[in-house]
Amino acid sequence: MRPSLAAVLAAGLFAGLAGCSQPPPPPPPQAAVLPPPPTPVVPSQNAPLCVKPVEKAAFDVSALRNQLVLTAITCKAEDRYNAVVGKYKSDLAGSEKVLDGYFKRAYGGRGQSRQDDYNTQLISAQSQLAGKAGNLYCRIYTPMYDEVMALPSGEALPTYAASKPIQQALVISECPPQAVPAAKAAPAVKKP
């Protein structure tokens, strides 16, 4: 018995298709590789006094906050900045209070004026560094908002800030650890 024409065509078609394979899917799009942020410039001025660890943390958080302000203004990301401030309001206020104390300790009655000068110099230095990033600035710096929002708590802000190449306005030196005084030996008891 002869196979029908339909059966022959179906068998031929099946055999032809069996030899064909689907082309591989296209590779996933590559994420654009951005250059790293510009390297901060060493400031030309030294902080007037060494800083305690809590003050160092406050300086780091201050630099981060100013970097986020600059990014918000430059990249039209005010809503993202406001979200960061809303989440970490008390931590940011605490850091600001520590900085107030540092500038009062360093400058006495002129502390507030000198702190204002520091903030002006900081945003100016960060703006100059931003210019080096050029038209990539927003693509380089806006991811910081997601990173900051993903931190487990505000206590992680200083560590995060210290890990990033954020421009500072002053060279900050940490105070050496204070030596713990040795325990005094008890006076010897005289035997009669």
Side-chain angles (χ1 to χ4, degrees), residues 4-47:
S4 71
L5 181 58
V8 170
L9 287 176
L13 183 60
F14 179 74
L17 290 177
C20 294
S21 63
Q22 291 288 334
Q30 293 285 332
V33 177
L34 294 174
T39 303
V41 177
V42 176
S44 61
Q45 294 180 327
N46 291 327

Side-chain angles (χ1 to χ4, degrees), residues 9-189:
L9 287 176
L13 183 60
F14 179 74
L17 290 177
C20 294
S21 63
Q22 291 288 334
Q30 293 285 332
V33 177
L34 294 174
T39 303
V41 177
V42 176
S44 61
Q45 294 180 327
N46 291 327
L49 299 174
C50 66
V51 297
K52 300 171 187 171
V54 69
E55 293 168 336
K56 168 73 167 82
F59 271 102
D60 290 340
V61 170
S62 175
L64 171 63
R65 183 177 188 168
N66 276 293
Q67 184 69 60
L68 293 173
V69 167
L70 178 62
T71 303
I73 293 166
T74 304
C75 306
K76 311 252 185 288
E78 292 87 356
D79 57 333
R80 297 181 82 185
Y81 174 77
N82 290 336
V84 167
V85 171
K87 182 175 181 178
Y88 299 112
K89 185 176 184 174
S90 64
D91 300 289
L92 295 171
S95 287
E96 191 66 24
K97 186 175 181 178
V98 169
L99 273 186
D100 291 348
Y102 172 82
F103 281 96
K104 284 177 186 165
R105 181 168 67 92
Y107 294 105
R110 298 177 318 168
Q112 185 60 56
S113 171
R114 296 308 300 249
Q115 187 173 357
D116 292 343
D117 292 344
Y118 160 78
N119 285 322
T120 300
Q121 292 167 359
L122 179 59
I123 201 73
S124 175
Q126 289 180 342
S127 295
Q128 290 175 12
L129 192 64
K132 293 181 181 180
N135 61 357
L136 294 176
Y137 178 84
C138 292
R139 290 179 56 202
I140 291 171
Y141 287 97
T142 55
M144 290 178 83
Y145 289 113
D146 295 331
E147 294 169 358
V148 169
M149 290 300 285
L151 294 174
S153 72
E155 292 175 2
L157 285 169
T159 302
Y160 172 82
S163 75
K164 295 295 180 181
I166 298 174
Q167 182 65 50
Q168 187 53 266
L170 296 170
V171 175
I172 298 166
S173 301
E174 292 187 59
C175 298
Q178 293 186 353
V180 177
K184 293 183 181 180
V189 177

